[in-house]
Amino acid sequence: GGGGVAALAVVVAPMAWAFGSVWSRRLPMPAGLMTPATQMLSAGVMMMAVSFVLGERMADSVPPRAMVSFVYLVVFGSLVAFSAYGYLLRHARPALATSYAYVNPAVAVLLGVVFAGETLGPLTFGAMGAILVAVMLLARGKR
């Protein structure tokens, strides 16, 4: 429903992410957590600018559940996961480092089962099996 620009963004964004992941291995990067911190801060500033240009505004009050979700994403989605991704990118092959893209949907499904009472069907189990096999094949590849 987003139109042509949204469809283009869905296609270009993963290609840009992959390009940046491969290119970052060839660039001199600061040590420690400075690299992911700089990337996240830059992305946040850019997203705020886009939000301002599009006229988006913050609601007057934020529901507690939304705030808890936000804190979870900041801690685990950004600080933990993105830092781990940066570490893997520096110390492993890009194909292995980007295996998070396979694992994240499985984790999201499991969190839905635990916290939202969602149910799993045979198709879900088959998809999770395929994900695990794909990650194992990536891990066994040339190092």
Side-chain angles (χ1 to χ4, degrees):
V5 174
L8 182 65
V10 167
V11 172
V12 171
M15 292 188 316
W17 182 276
F19 173 77
S21 295
V22 172
W23 190 35
S24 71
R25 291 177 56 93
R26 295 187 171 102
L27 295 174
M29 302 297 258
L33 296 177
M34 191 57 153
T35 298
T38 303
Q39 291 171 349
M40 287 187 280
L41 184 61
S42 299
V45 168
M46 290 171 60
M47 293 302 291
M48 288 293 287
V50 168
S51 176
F52 181 76
V53 168
L54 294 177
E56 296 176 346
R57 299 292 177 258
M58 182 72 138
D60 291 335
S61 65
V62 179
R65 187 172 179 176
M67 192 54 77
V68 169
S69 299
F70 175 75
V71 170
Y72 168 81
L73 287 174
V74 166
V75 173
F76 294 103
S78 296
L79 299 178
V80 174
F82 196 66
S83 299
Y85 173 73
Y87 175 84
L88 272 178
L89 203 53
R90 287 187 303 278
H91 295 91
R93 295 175 299 115
L96 182 60
T98 57
S99 65
Y100 78 91
Y102 303 109
V103 176
N104 280 354
V107 171
V109 167
L110 291 175
L111 288 174
V113 168
V114 172
F115 293 110
E118 296 176 0
T119 58
L120 301 178
L123 197 57
T124 307
F125 284 113
M128 283 194 186
I131 289 168
L132 293 175
V133 168
V135 172
M136 287 180 358
L137 289 173
L138 282 171
R140 293 188 67 216
K142 288 184 179 179
R143 293 175 198 250

